[in-house]
């Protein structure tokens, strides 16, 4: 174990490191400037347990109805060894539906090295016939470390190209789905595209064999009939790439974290809260949907314009503290030169607001 | 987000309580709005689980679907809801009013009032839209017959959902939208979508700050979500076992008991939101209606009348998707509505106008000189063109020659003649036309007097020209050509 590994193990406490999946990677890159998150996720800390322990439990519960439905739909789509899935995907891509295809399930026992090797061998093997690979285990470099992705996708090789296929149980009604769900699925698929490309490139094959067009398979209208849609994830790929590049290396971040920092979910809650507040965070309301620590970080950020959301903060001239905003608006103290413009706007806004509220306006 | 609104949010955060961002109510509030609080089953495509519905706080009716995946039960629920909704709509069809048309040479008739639907949040509007979509093409005959009221319910829900997209319409409102239009909280826009937290900020219980009340409202065990999504903990620990008991009931007595249990626990989830909906109604009612709210509600009455006539005449359901011409027309209509709604709110409310003042689209000043008798006789005919000088301390961003309006005299134009910036003040001379009768003497009150505070703005509440579109059967080939005949369900 390297010293960094030992350090990360100490941060996480006794438990095993939590595994990443496309959702967590997507969320991680959603707030690349947050050291707290990068360190906790890098160490594989059990953040739900941590949040619970410090008195700010996360609310990411999943309804068993939703889980059952998701599993049932996925099973239905894959039921016949992939024949129907292959037809859907091929028709959607506009390529001839192959007479036959191989179906390789790369899931199975949780022996990481073995699964990794099997996935690599299967996906980089020669051959261009139609093939479906279920549950391939992929990996990605995040913050200078290799993280494994919990695989919940199918990779389809058709007409010589790989397509990421995601089976989602939200409906497509009259050709339209919930935009929030589609964009979440798109960014997750982009994580897989990136990881697949890495895998091919590492094996000396052309990364472009993995298409930027991913296939989303969802139930159609109000029934269970699956329908395939193409989603172009080029934009998401660019964003992801940029965010991953922007993320500092974990070793660099660790150097900024106090040497005795721990997020061990069995430690004393008050000590944990104190320890966490010594690691820099960057709260935004988007955290509420993406990070288990959100309620803690929101509490900590109380009194800052960040809790009101980015558009509000920008409209307030980027001033970080609410007290400062109000002081500037009241003209209580002279602003720094670079705050001049923001201060003038805030003063005018405060005057107009007061004017209108006292009914003094025309 | 305007800086003015953002400042109100900062003030709310500091004060621990929501701050007003409107001085009048910008929407119509019906005497008896039909409040609907829907719940759906997680993971399904808009499968209804329950709804609490009624037009008065003490008249809540609970409808539930004990097995939401069961098609027959779903349509039985739709038929029950149809009974309530269609009945409510019928209540508005007894009285009509005459509206003059063609410059008073003729009249047309419309319903004197229209129904209003209220749901907790935008997701509630989406629920109604999708439920409308899943029922409007159903048929009372054929392979899977449904009760004849079901497709009718679908058409009306679709009608309301479409109205909800029109800025300024009050036919179907989400309570969270209605409240945030009038109050700014110390939390973010995402958090404002949670009705209990929003009301916590606006009207915290005694002894609690808004922030504390909002935080408490986030705990689903204290305060169930306002739907349509349910709390996963409730699903797993309470709902699923109760549904299983219903499904496994072997005799009628057991089934009745299990049904009653489901009713009880769903009512418990819905009742707190029901209370909040009516508290929201009360808060909104406490604001006086803006002057132009009634005119916009007339638009809702027209739309209701028009759709009722369409249904009476046996008209078909709304298509799944608009064709090219209809889509363009619709977009144009929505844009016009949005523009005029924004102007009307500013005219009705000095606090909204203040946002435009901050943006340089309006200023307020004092009339220091007035020549109400001024006549311009340079043309063929002498015309009354009074001039007034307004002195303002606000920045004036309008050029000479620009036309301005004043909310106090919306029918009058004010052309900018001189702008003279001075020491912390600007003198603006405007020449008035319109809104002063036909003679060469201005009736009293039609020209601002010395000492009057006036607001002058580039925003005009005037008539926006309607664009023309090709007829549907002349849809250009670039837009797919004329659409095929309406496709059946
Ligand atoms: S919730 Fe906290 S730790 Fe998580 S990303 Fe946001 S600021 Fe960082």
């Amino acid at each position: 174990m390297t010293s960094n590994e030992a350090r990360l193990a100490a941060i996480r406490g006794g438990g095993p490191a939590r595994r990443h999946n496309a959702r967590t990677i997507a969320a991680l890159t959603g707030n690349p400037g947050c050291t707290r998150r990068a360190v906790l996720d890098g160490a594989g800390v059990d953040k739900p347990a941590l949040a619970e322990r410090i008195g700010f439990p996360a609310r990411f519960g999943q309804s068993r109805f939703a889980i059952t439905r998701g599993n049932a739909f996925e099973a239905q789509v894959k039921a016949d060894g992939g024949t129907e899935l292959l037809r859907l995907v091929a028709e959607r891509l506009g390529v001839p539906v192959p007479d036959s295809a191989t179906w390789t399930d790369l899931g199975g026992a949780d022996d990481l090295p073995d699964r990794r090797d099997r996935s690599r061998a299967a996906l980089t093997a020669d051959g261009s016939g139609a093939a479906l690979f279920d549950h391939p285990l992929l990996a990605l470099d995040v913050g200078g470390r290799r993280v494994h992705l919990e695989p919940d996708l199918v990779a389809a090789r058709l007409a010589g190209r790989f397509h990421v296929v995601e089976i989602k149980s939200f409906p497509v009604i009259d050709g339209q789905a919930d935009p929030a769900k589609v964009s979440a699925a798109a960014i997750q698929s982009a994580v897989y595209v990136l990881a697949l490309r890495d895998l091919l490139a590492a094996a000396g094959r052309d990364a472009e064999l993995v298409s930027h067009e991913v296939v989303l398979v969802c139930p159609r209208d109000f029934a269970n009939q699956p329908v395939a849609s193409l989603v172009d994830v080029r934009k998401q790929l660019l964003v992801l790439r940029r965010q991953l590049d922007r993320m500092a290396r974990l070793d660099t971040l660790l150097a900024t974290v106090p040497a005795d920092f721990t997020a061990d979910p069995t430690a004393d809650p008050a000590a944990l809260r104190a320890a966490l507040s010594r690691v820099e965070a960057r709260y935004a309301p988007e955290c509420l949907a993406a990070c288990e620590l959100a309620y803690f970080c929101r509490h900590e950020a109380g009194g800052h314009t960040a809790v009101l959301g980015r558009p509000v903060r920008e409209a307030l001239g980027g001033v970080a503290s609410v007290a400062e905003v109000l002081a500037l608006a009241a003209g209580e103290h002279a602003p720094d030169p670079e705050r001049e413009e923001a201060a003038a706007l805030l003063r005018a806004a405060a005057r107009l607001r007061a004017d209108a509220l006292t009914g003094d306006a025309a | 987000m305007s800086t003015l609104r953002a400042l109100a949010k900062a003030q709310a955060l500091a004060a621990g309580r929501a701050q007003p961002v409107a001085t009048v109510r910008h929407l119509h509030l019906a005497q008896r709005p039909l409040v609907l609080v829907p719940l759906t089953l997680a993971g399904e495509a808009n499968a209804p689980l329950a709804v609490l519905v009624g037009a008065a706080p003490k008249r809540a009716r609970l409808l539930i679907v004990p097995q939401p995946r069961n098609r027959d039960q779903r349509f039985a629920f739709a038929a029950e809801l149809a009974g309530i909704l269609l009945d409510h709509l019928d209540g508005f069809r007894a009285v009509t009013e005459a509206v003059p048309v063609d410059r008073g040479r003729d009249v047309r008739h419309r319903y004197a009032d229209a129904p209003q639907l209220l749901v907790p949040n935008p997701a509630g509007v989406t629920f109604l839209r999708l439920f409308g979509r899943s029922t409007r093409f159903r048929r009372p005959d054929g392979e899977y017959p449904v009760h004849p009221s079901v497709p009718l319910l679908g058409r009306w829900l679709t009608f309301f959902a479409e109205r909800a997209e029109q800025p300024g319409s009050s036919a179907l409102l989400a309570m969270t939208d209605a409240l945030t239009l009038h109050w700014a909280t110390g939390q973010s826009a995402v958090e404002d979508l949670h009705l209990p937290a929003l009301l916590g900020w606006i009207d915290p219980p005694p002894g609690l700050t808004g922030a504390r009340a909002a935080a408490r409202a986030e705990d689903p065990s204290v305060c169930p979500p306002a739907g349509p999504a349910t709390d996963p903990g409730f699903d797993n620990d309470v709902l699923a076992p109760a549904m299983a008991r219903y499904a496994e009931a072997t005799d009628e007595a057991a089934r009745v008991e299990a049904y009653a249990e489901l009713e009880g626990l769903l009512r418990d989830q819905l009742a707190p939101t029901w209370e909040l909906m009516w508290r929201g109604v009360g808060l909104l009612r406490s604001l006086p209606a803006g002057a132009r709210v009634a005119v916009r509600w007339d638009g809702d009455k027209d739309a209701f009348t028009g759709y009722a006539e369409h249904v009476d005449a046996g008209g078909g359901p709304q298509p799944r998707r608009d064709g090219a011409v209809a889509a363009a027309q619709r977009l144009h209509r929505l844009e016009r509505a949005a523009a005029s709604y924004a102007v009307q709110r500013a005219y009705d409310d000095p606090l909204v106008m203040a946002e435009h003042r901050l943006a340089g689209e309006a200023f307020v000043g004092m009339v220091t000189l007035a020549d109400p008798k001024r006549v311009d006789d340079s043309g063929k005919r002498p015309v009354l063109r009074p001039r007034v000088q307004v002195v303002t301390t606000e920045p004036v961003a309008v050029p000479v020659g620009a036309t301005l309006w004043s909310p106090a005299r919306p029918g009058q134009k004010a052309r900018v003649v001189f702008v003279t910036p001075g020491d912390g003040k600007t003198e603006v001379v405007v020449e008035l036309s319109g809104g002063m009768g036909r003679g060469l003497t201005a009736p009293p009150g039609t020209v601002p007097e010395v000492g009057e505070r006036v607001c002058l703005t580039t925003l005009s509440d005037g008539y926006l020209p309607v664009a023309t579109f090709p007829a549907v059967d002349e849809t250009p080939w670039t837009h797919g050509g004329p659409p095929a005949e309406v496709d059946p369900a």
Side-chain angles (χ1 to χ4, degrees):
Chain A
M1 225 193 254
T2 68
S3 70
N4 261 344
E5 291 300 321
R7 184 110 189 265
L8 293 176
I11 288 175
R12 139 175 107 235
R18 301 262 297 191
R19 207 79 76 63
H20 273 290
N21 55 42
R23 193 180 56 78
T24 59
I25 302 272
L28 186 61
T29 55
N31 194 355
C34 179
T35 305
R36 187 176 293 167
R37 173 165 201 154
V39 169
L40 294 177
D41 280 350
V45 171
D46 183 350
K47 285 198 297 178
L50 175 65
E52 179 99 49
R53 181 76 174 167
I54 57 176
F56 290 91
R59 301 201 179 99
F60 288 123
Q62 261 219 11
S63 166
R64 71 157 95 157
F65 297 118
I67 298 171
T68 313
R69 157 82 168 166
N71 292 345
F73 182 67
E74 184 172 342
Q76 175 202 336
V77 170
K78 292 178 177 174
D80 50 3
T83 314
E84 170 68 4
L85 183 60
L86 195 72
R87 187 188 60 79
L88 272 173
V89 173
E91 280 178 359
R92 194 70 208 114
L93 290 170
V95 300
V97 181
D99 299 332
S100 69
T102 60
W103 171 275
T104 318
D105 190 344
L106 297 161
D110 205 15
D111 177 2
L112 215 51
D114 169 57
R115 276 176 66 191
R116 201 169 52 208
D117 293 345
R118 278 198 294 134
S119 292
R120 184 184 316 118
L123 287 161
T124 58
D126 285 334
S128 55
L132 291 162
F133 304 94
D134 201 3
H135 303 121
L137 186 67
L138 303 173
L140 209 57
D141 276 328
V142 180
R145 281 164 45 90
R146 197 103 186 119
V147 302
H148 293 284
L149 298 176
E150 244 354 300
D152 59 354
L153 87 154
V154 176
R157 189 177 63 203
L158 265 169
R161 296 200 79 185
F162 286 98
H163 292 268
V164 162
V165 180
E166 282 229 70
I167 302 169
K168 295 281 180 190
S169 62
F170 59 80
V172 174
I173 296 169
D174 296 337
Q176 282 180 315
D178 182 342
K181 291 189 172 135
V182 175
S183 66
I187 187 114
Q188 289 169 29
S189 305
V191 171
Y192 288 130
V193 171
L194 221 52
L196 256 179
R197 285 185 174 175
D198 269 16
L199 181 98
L200 290 192
R205 312 222 14 205
D206 182 5
E208 291 303 309
L209 283 177
V210 184
S211 170
H212 58 256
E213 283 191 313
V214 304
V215 185
L216 220 53
V217 178
C218 298
R220 191 179 143 196
D221 295 342
F222 301 94
N224 282 330
Q225 206 54 40
V227 58
S229 337
L230 283 188
V231 183
D232 182 335
V233 298
R234 263 178 294 188
K235 212 181 87 217
Q236 287 82 353
L237 284 170
L238 279 175
V239 172
L240 264 179
R241 256 275 150 261
R242 198 175 59 227
Q243 305 289 55
L244 285 172
D245 291 345
R246 256 182 70 193
M247 281 187 64
R249 295 181 56 86
L250 196 56
D251 348 348
T252 322
L253 290 179
L254 280 176
T256 70
V257 170
D260 59 349
F261 173 68
T262 181
D264 180 350
T266 60
D268 169 58
L272 278 173
R273 282 193 293 265
L276 283 171
S277 54
R278 282 156 64 206
V279 179
E280 207 194 315
R282 192 172 288 185
Y283 174 80
E286 289 75 17
C287 291
L288 290 168
C291 181
E292 290 86 351
L293 243 52
Y295 290 103
F296 173 74
C297 297
R298 183 181 68 178
H299 180 76
E300 182 187 62
H304 285 88
T305 53
V307 300
L308 298 173
R310 230 155 272 169
V312 180
R313 192 188 158 131
E314 273 162 28
L316 294 171
V319 179
S321 119
V322 169
E324 169 93 4
V325 165
L326 297 184
L328 288 176
E332 270 165 24
H333 60 71
D336 308 339
E338 79 270 22
R339 286 262 178 269
E340 220 49 279
E341 205 178 315
L345 190 63
L346 287 172
R347 275 200 307 276
R351 190 178 49 74
L352 287 171
R353 227 183 111 67
D355 196 30
L357 277 170
T358 51
D360 208 13
Chain B
M1 170 79 49
S2 76
T3 299
L4 214 82
R5 225 163 212 280
L7 180 63
K9 288 192 87 72
Q11 288 171 338
L13 186 56
R17 205 186 169 106
Q19 300 294 312
V21 286
T23 62
V24 296
R25 175 161 37 83
H26 291 287
L27 40 86
H28 175 83
L29 210 50
Q31 274 306 316
R32 293 175 65 247
L34 189 69
V35 170
L36 296 119
V37 183
L39 288 182
T40 53
L41 187 72
E44 299 294 314
N46 210 58
L49 172 62
V51 65
L52 210 49
V53 53
K58 299 253 177 301
R59 304 288 292 275
R61 272 191 60 190
L62 175 70
L63 310 181
I64 73 162
V65 189
Q67 292 167 302
R69 294 197 194 90
N70 179 308
R71 193 181 175 283
D72 294 340
Q73 289 184 14
R74 199 155 64 228
F75 287 113
F77 168 92
E80 261 189 290
L81 183 59
I84 296 172
L85 182 82
L86 298 178
D87 208 43
H88 185 76
L89 303 189
D90 276 343
F92 292 86
R93 300 190 59 181
V95 187
T96 59
E97 62 187 10
V99 189
V101 289
D102 197 12
R103 295 172 192 267
R105 277 190 286 254
D106 204 351
V107 291
R108 67 189 169 85
H109 291 272
R110 72 169 169 226
Y111 294 117
D113 199 4
Q116 179 179 48
L117 268 45
L118 301 178
V119 293
N121 44 37
V125 174
T126 302
F127 168 80
L128 293 188
R129 179 171 63 78
L130 292 179
F131 200 51
R133 164 63 182 82
S134 69
T135 49
R136 72 177 186 260
F137 297 113
R138 302 265 75 92
R139 305 183 62 98
D141 48 25
E143 202 180 345
Y144 297 109
V146 296
H147 190 275
S149 67
V150 169
L152 221 47
L153 170 79
R155 292 175 202 189
W156 276 110
L157 289 181
T158 306
F159 163 80
F160 280 104
E162 285 182 356
R163 286 301 292 169
E165 285 175 28
Q166 167 124 345
S169 163
S170 293
L172 165 58
L173 296 172
M175 186 53 79
T176 52
D177 288 347
L179 292 171
T180 48
L181 189 61
H182 301 91
W183 285 276
T185 65
Q187 62 183 3
S188 68
V190 230
E191 291 156 304
D192 278 349
L193 289 173
H194 186 45
L195 181 63
L198 177 59
L199 275 166
W201 275 98
I202 297 175
D203 190 17
L208 281 189
T209 64
R212 294 272 314 137
R216 222 173 58 164
E218 279 175 344
D219 182 349
S221 63
V222 176
C223 183
T230 48
D231 165 38
F234 167 77
D235 281 5
N236 299 344
D237 305 335
V238 183
L239 184 60
M243 274 187 175
R245 273 191 290 281
Y246 179 86
E248 286 152 14
T250 44
D251 57 60
E252 194 52 29
R255 198 163 15 253
V256 168
E257 192 184 327
Y259 190 91
E261 188 199 356
L262 274 171
E263 272 190 328
L265 53 92
L266 287 167
R267 188 186 292 279
D268 288 348
Q269 287 292 295
L270 290 163
T273 307
W274 179 261
E275 297 296 325
L276 294 178
M277 286 298 285
W278 291 100
R279 246 174 73 200
V281 168
L283 284 165
L284 290 167
R285 248 197 244 295
S286 68
L287 291 168
R292 287 163 182 80
V293 168
V295 177
R296 291 198 296 274
W297 183 244
D298 284 345
D300 283 317
K301 293 194 284 187
D302 283 334
F304 171 64
T305 307
Y307 200 69
E309 283 167 359
H310 170 84
V311 171
D312 288 352
Q318 299 90 339
R320 289 158 179 245
R321 291 224 228 174
D322 281 340
V325 172
Q329 270 169 339
R330 182 177 165 68
L331 195 62
H332 177 67
R333 199 174 64 236
L334 296 186
E335 278 169 2
R336 274 165 49 95
S340 113
Y341 179 47
V343 174
Q344 292 191 350
R345 278 193 303 134
Y347 271 43
D348 281 356
D349 188 344
L351 199 44
V352 177
M353 186 59 93
E355 297 183 34
H356 297 279
R357 283 160 74 188
L358 192 63
E361 291 161 348
F363 58 88
V364 169
M366 187 75 79
V367 178
T368 51
L369 295 170
D371 182 359
K373 299 205 172 79
R374 184 176 172 277
V375 170
D376 180 350
D377 49 14
S378 58
K380 269 195 215 131
R381 222 159 34 86
V383 283
L384 182 62
R385 289 289 180 268
R387 284 188 176 182
V388 297
Q389 175 180 284
V390 177
V391 176
T392 177
T393 53
E394 290 171 31
V396 174
V398 291
V400 168
T403 302
L404 303 179
W405 285 266
S406 176
R409 296 175 181 84
Q412 192 167 68
K413 283 185 190 175
R415 195 171 57 82
V416 179
V417 188
F418 301 111
V419 178
T420 323
D423 186 20
K425 286 186 168 103
T426 309
E427 290 172 4
V428 183
V429 175
V430 291
E431 185 174 302
L432 306 177
S433 61
M436 295 174 289
R438 291 176 177 272
L440 286 180
T441 318
T446 55
V447 175
E449 289 172 24
V450 173
E452 186 177 331
R453 265 170 70 95
V454 292
C455 176
L456 290 170
T457 174
T458 55
L459 306 177
S460 151
D461 188 23
Y463 181 75
L464 298 165
V466 187
T468 50
F469 292 92
V472 171
D473 53 11
E474 284 163 17
T475 306
W477 63 268
T478 47
H479 293 70
E485 284 304 296
V486 181
D487 61 340

